[in-house]
Amino acid sequence: MDQQTKNEVFDQAKAWILEAGERIKSNIDAPRSIETKSNPNDLVTEMDQQTEQFFAEKIKSAYPDHYLLGEEGFGDELEDLGGTVWIVDPIDGTMNFVHQKRNFAISIGIYVDGIGEIGFIYNVMEGTLYTAKRGEGAWKNDAQLPQLSKERPLKQSILALNTTWLIPENPFIEHKGVEELVKTLRSTRSYGSAALELAFVAEGILDGYLTMTLMPWDYAAGSILVREVGGIVTRADKEDLDLLNKTTVLACRSNIHEEIINDYVQLKR
Ligand code: IPD
Ligand code: CA
Ligand code: CA
């Protein structure tokens, strides 16, 4: 994608995200139709579906040769990431959307041949738009985000971590290591939106985010943001992320990445 096209796609996507956000915001108190997906706590609402459909229609009419990988099924069935692919989570943090009416985001990562070129995370109710362009930097609204500290040690770090990983029976990670990690850290947070947690890592208000089960649309945009400010984003076993499958994710400042994986993360499979 040449620079001019990249800028045009960026401006267009930004306008659509703000429009979609406005629709969600103006409907925030409307009665919700709530369904469950993979389990009773995996929620989806009419607003998730309508928002993804909105992006699907816009993308297909403006860019018929682009692909859409979306959570709610309005996109394409993709076997690889060739070409230009919009990876869309229409509402990341649906449980927050339903229960709290805040702390959720629209997340869009635009990839060209598997490389993340443009990222957007829109904290809808707060009106904060995080953006990134590969090689150019990341922004929170109009303010460019500075590079992340490489100095702060783990014991002064705040990590976003779901308490699920402390349950001994969880099928993904040995809880003892997570316990040690929690004891070492300054503190933990859990916001319930992977996209926002990654945006907060990029902003430097969280030092990292460790999780066991994300889908591509949860981190497609956030990983671009974090990398643009010098952070590292990999699977929790240090391997590269696989954007077509469910994965573990560790996103953090570069100086604590190896330490977290080597000293505290022991995956069960
Ligand atoms: C979820 C959120 C949540 C994360 C889950 C995701 P959704 O996305 O990002 O924080 O822990 O793994 O599925 O379902 O609200 O789009
Ligand atoms: Ca999500
Ligand atoms: Ca979602």
Side-chain angles (χ1 to χ4, degrees), residues 71 89 91-94 193-195 214-215 217-219:
E71 180 171 18
D89 194 336
I91 297 183
D92 182 66
T94 298
S193 159
L214 288 191
M215 293 300 285
W217 39 81
D218 297 318
Y219 66 86

Side-chain angles (χ1 to χ4, degrees), residues 195-256:
L196 286 180
E197 284 161 310
L198 290 163
F200 295 162
V201 173
E203 190 182 345
I205 62 171
L206 281 178
D207 299 284
Y209 173 48
L210 173 66
T211 190
M212 294 297 117
T213 52
L214 288 191
M215 293 300 285
W217 39 81
D218 297 318
Y219 66 86
S223 56
I224 303 173
L225 276 152
V226 172
R227 287 179 181 138
E228 278 306 309
V229 292
I232 300 191
V233 191
T234 64
R235 294 193 331 206
D237 60 2
K238 251 190 240 175
E239 295 297 317
D240 289 343
L241 291 164
D242 167 6
L243 272 153
L244 290 171
N245 292 298
K246 198 176 247 192
T247 181
T248 61
V249 173
L250 172 63
C252 60
R253 293 188 288 99
S254 57
N255 64 310
I256 56 175

